[in-house]
């Protein structure tokens, strides 16, 4: 048996890939839409992400990462009837259907919060950590991710004595699943029993009062809970249409939880939280409910600054919590003022805020919380992970050198028609797998 004390939350960040660009593919994600067709800097994007990982590692947190997915995905273009050499295919697509280039080049797998939904071993019948990769079927450029995500998870969490990686839910509209971005685990401590909060945007069909897609369905959330064997410890809450229409395409744009703290905007949910409080009380979780009123931070300010897309973390060997926030929170006067008040309020455990420059990822519509998947594990489970995916200072330095060597510092959507970008991307991924000892990890290597 493992004690609660050897259990901690491990953050696995998506390492931003060499084809990071602004194609504006994500309807309802205002930053993605507003920055469409601008020039991106893949090198800065990846280095900014590594800076955040380094900072957490330096502060004593356990930090891992997911490698970038293979881009471009020429196998998809071949399925669509394009044929010939790689160069001929890219030239043909650029000439006849250029919009497909942004689909097969998208680096959106960087948003690891959408990779999967996770249940800790403490809360499962078989005592294993359970994962369900998300089908992400609402957006075509993300719906192509789940096979590679499953491969990544089954490589990283290969030890079936400790881990179970389920198949994705069927790619049917009523089972739209966006992963952990609509999911939180509440608990007294990470090693204690958890209460799982699933947030959904629609029951099954599309509500009439939405301007943007409601990506997560209740049926999908219920199916994941069923897969993971969660009968009692699950609460299902509807996301408010107001939040979705304001650009909260996932619940993690307007709410975040850590241990017993739920930090959320007044307009995050379409119902009161009585059901959640009752469930927490039944599990002896003393819920610390921090609701941010519109009067303090408007919904628009929350969405633009990504106040709730912060990482909320319990400091190692402490009960104090830390918010990892994007610089946009510091630069927004109302949000910054609210955060100063929050950390001075001793009635909650949030004691500090650290601001990070994540401009490249923020402009594509994702902040610190979007970039990571949280996995609660005990020491035996951490030891059973594939070591290539866990970070230490030496490996972070190797990854920095790799990014600096292989990534462009300028990429605009028109560059996706350049066959040289394919060569650069595959060469980079080949070097990454060699460096990590992963063998023929990518499809193009097999």
């Amino acid at each position: 048996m493992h004690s609660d004390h050897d259990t901690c939350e491990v953050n696995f960040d998506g390492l931003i890939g060499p084809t990071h660009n602004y194609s504006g593919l994500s309807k309802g994600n205002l930053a993605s839409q507003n920055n469409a067709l601008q020039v991106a800097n893949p090198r800065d994007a990846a280095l900014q992400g590594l800076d955040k990982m380094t900072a957490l590692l330096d502060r004593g947190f356990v930090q891992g990462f997911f490698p970038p997915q293979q881009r471009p995905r020429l196998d998809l273009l071949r399925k669509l009837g394009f044929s010939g050499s790689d160069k001929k295919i890219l030239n043909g697509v650029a000439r006849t259907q250029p919009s497909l280039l942004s689909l097969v080049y998208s680096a959106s797998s960087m948003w690891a919060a959408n990779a999967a939904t996770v249940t800790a071993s403490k809360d499962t019948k078989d005592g294993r950590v359970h994962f369900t990769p998300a089908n992400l079927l609402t957006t075509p450029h993300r719906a192509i991710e789940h096979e590679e995500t499953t491969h990544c998870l089954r490589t990283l969490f290969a030890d079936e004595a400790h881990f179970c990686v389920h198949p994705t839910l069927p790619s049917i509209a009523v089972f739209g699943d966006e992963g952990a971005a609509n999911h939180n685990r509440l608990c007294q401590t990470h090693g204690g029993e958890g209460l799982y909060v699933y947030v959904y945007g629609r029951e099954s069909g599309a509500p009439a009062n939405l301007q943007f897609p409601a990506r997560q369905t209740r049926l999908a959330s219920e199916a994941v809970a069923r897969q993971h064997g969660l009968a009692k410890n699950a609460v299902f809450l509807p996301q408010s249409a107001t939040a979705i229409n304001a650009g909260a395409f996932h619940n993690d744009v307007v709410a975040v939880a850590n241990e017993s703290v739920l930090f959320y905007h007044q307009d995050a949910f379409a119902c009161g939280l009585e059901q959640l409080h009752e469930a927490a009380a039944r599990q002896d979780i003393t819920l610390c409910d921090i609701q941010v009123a519109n009067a303090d931070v408007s919904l628009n300010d929350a969405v633009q600054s990504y106040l709730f897309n912060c990482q909320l973390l319990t400091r190692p060997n402490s009960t104090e919590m830390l918010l990892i926030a994007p610089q946009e929170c510091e630069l927004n006067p109302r949000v910054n003022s609210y955060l100063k008040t929050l950390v001075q309020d001793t009635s909650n455990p949030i004691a500090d805020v650290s601001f990070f420059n994540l401009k490249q990822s923020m402009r594509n519509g994702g902040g610190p919380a979007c970039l990571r998947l949280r996995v609660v594990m005990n020491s035996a489970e951490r030891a059973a992970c594939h070591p290539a995916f866990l970070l230490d200072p030496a490996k972070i330095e190797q990854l920095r050198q790799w990014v600096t060597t292989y990534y462009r510092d300028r990429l605009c959507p028109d560059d996706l028609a350049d066959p040289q970008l394919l060569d650069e991307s595959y060469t980079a991924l080949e070097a990454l797998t060699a460096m990590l000892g992963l063998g023929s990890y990518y499809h193009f290597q097999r």
Side-chain angles (χ1 to χ4, degrees), residues 145-157:
E145 291 175 18
H146 63 85
E147 288 176 13
E148 287 180 88
T149 301
T150 302
H151 171 59
C152 176
L153 294 174
R154 287 185 174 158
T155 304
L156 170 48
F157 303 110

Side-chain angles (χ1 to χ4, degrees), residues 160-183:
E160 293 184 4
H162 293 286
F163 307 114
C164 176
V165 180
H166 295 272
T168 55
L169 300 183
S171 290
I172 300 167
V174 294
F175 296 113
D177 177 26
E178 300 277 322
N182 297 298
H183 174 261

Side-chain angles (χ1 to χ4, degrees), residues 5 8 56 67 83 125 149 174 191 218 232 255 266 273 315 394:
H5 302 298
C8 71
L56 292 188
S83 60
K125 290 175 184 171
T149 301
V174 294
R218 179 170 180 138
K232 299 179 300 182
Q266 175 185 336
L273 298 183
R315 286 174 166 155

Side-chain angles (χ1 to χ4, degrees), residues 365-387:
C370 282
L371 287 166
R372 61 90 177 97
L373 184 71
R374 298 182 282 183
V375 185
V376 170
M377 289 188 279
N378 61 42
S379 55
E381 290 156 356
R382 295 194 296 277
C385 292
H386 194 307

Side-chain angles (χ1 to χ4, degrees), residues 9 86 151 396:
E9 181 182 81
D86 293 352
H151 171 59
I396 290 236

Side-chain angles (χ1 to χ4, degrees), residues 186-188 195 256-264 273 276-277 280-281 284-292 312 319 321 338 342 345-350:
L186 290 166
C187 51
Q188 203 59 41
L195 172 63
V256 62
N258 176 57
E259 293 192 327
S260 60
V261 172
L262 179 63
F263 179 49
Y264 64 101
L273 298 183
L276 182 62
H277 279 271
D284 294 323
I285 297 169
T286 308
L287 189 60
C288 178
D289 180 328
I290 306 174
Q291 184 194 81
V292 181
L312 183 56
T319 56
M321 294 188 190
Y338 173 79
L342 177 72
D345 180 359
T346 54
S347 69
N348 77 74
I350 303 173

